[in-house]
Amino acid sequence: MVTATPGSPAHDAGANMVRLRTLILLRWMAIAGQVAAILVASQAYGLQLPLGLCMLAIGLSVIANLVLSMLFPQNRRLSEAEAFLTLLFDLGQLAFLLFLTGGLTNPFAILVLAPVTISASTLRLRSTVVLGALAILAVSAAVFWYLPLRFADGSELVIPRLFAFGFWLSIVIGILFLGLYSRRVATEMRHMSEALLATQMALAREQKLTDLAGVVAAAAHELGTPLATIKLVSAELIEELAGQPELQEDARLIREQADRCRDILRDMGRAGKDDLHLRQAPLSAVLREAAEPHLARGKRVEFSFVPVQDGEDFQPTILRRPEIIHGLRNLVQNAVDFARSTIWIEGEWTSRRIIVRITDDGEGFPPSVIGRIGDPFVRARRADTEAEKRPGYEGMGLGLFIAKTLLERSGADLSFANATDPFLAPENRPERSGAVVEAVWATTDLVPPASSGGLGENTRIES
């Protein structure tokens, strides 16, 4: 499974997320707003503005839009440098307009937030920091260097220094706050998108493995009888043709080919029939199948299956769904990774619920992140144990995110906790002292509906 790490193509994909058409449309909207503001200020309020220079600044934006529209297709996605230069041009054009129209006495100075916010949402941190610093520099320069706004009678628009300072401070704080906020939200959205993609890949892989198991089991089941008959008849022919070496050799060849068919069945994985018996299995069988890849990793895995409250004596037969098996397998893997020696996997059931609980005797979850476990790219265990028990482990929490997503998709309600106080001294801890992960399903979500008929004929899987 491919995970996005810093420096990988998945991590840098955000640099090509902005379409040229999007920035062109935003610039046209800005141009329309700037023209309207200048006309209203000069015609309705009688402010004396350098209309020629203002139209020159707006005309530069118009020319830039026309040139970009003619040179590049509008569905072009900008590179990091191209998007940065585009936003830098917009910031410079707006700073020039502010210089011509009163500096910070112009209430539209707040629009310098727009390029920084867009950069924080789409570009790398370095580009955003540079653009934010230039925006703060432009706003600060507008405090001292600007053409004052004058009314029709020639009087100058003057605002109190305290108000001007407060306006400057609010813009600077807005640049910093909205930049950080947009950056954090966009980063989390990208991480979530990457994690969901990894989840879909994991589920697709598990679905293929399940289909393959169904194909092999169904083929072995349906071809077992005719192959056994062929072997039996060929063995009898070999005995009866003892005096005819050539015919006896043909009988041996038939038996060898029957054995070869049996071997092929073990490796087959192409389109065939889905074994209906594999769609459901007892709870214990599903949990053992989920834990099977981790049973030989040097840790002791103990299973227990008991009814609780009003549960029946016989354990329920549940749907053998790929997302359930893969999700539980990830939880077992996490427990085995961090356990000292033992993992306990418990299955319990009532008349209405099915509970699966996985406990280990490791260090447990850090209290500082236990409320965020299951989010992608959050460390789930202690850093000092990661290097010791999982060399090269990045601790990004993607495995738990995949498990949580897949199991919740099947109807499970997951909870994460520690079996005991993680701050206790090792000699004071009970045997089950590590992490506890509990998944609870409603019985109706896992137990297939009762059917009066048989399972029916196996259905064909399309390749």
Side-chain angles (χ1 to χ4, degrees), residues 1 3-5 191-192 194-196 198-199 330-331 333-334 337-338 365-366 369 372-382 386 390 392-406 414 416:
M1 183 184 302
T3 58
T5 57
H191 285 173
M192 184 64 70
E194 293 165 4
L196 288 175
T199 303
N330 277 7
L331 295 180
Q333 176 184 353
N334 190 71
D337 286 339
F338 296 99
F365 297 116
V369 301
R372 296 185 290 131
I373 292 175
D375 292 343
F377 311 104
V378 173
R379 290 183 178 273
R381 293 296 182 97
R382 297 181 180 276
E386 288 168 5
R390 293 183 68 176
Y393 178 67
E394 296 181 356
M396 302 180 77
L398 189 57
L400 282 179
F401 171 81
I402 292 176
K404 186 172 184 288
T405 302
L406 293 178
L414 266 71
F416 301 88

Side-chain angles (χ1 to χ4, degrees), residues 5-29:
T5 57
S8 68
H11 184 268
D12 297 336
N16 296 319
M17 287 175 57
V18 184
R19 289 193 306 171
L20 177 61
R21 180 184 180 187
T22 301
L23 293 184
I24 288 178
L25 289 177
L26 290 175
R27 186 178 289 164
W28 282 125
M29 295 173 60

Side-chain angles (χ1 to χ4, degrees), residues 48 149-157:
Q48 298 180 9
L149 292 175
R150 296 184 183 277
F151 295 102
D153 59 1
S155 61
E156 182 179 333
L157 175 62

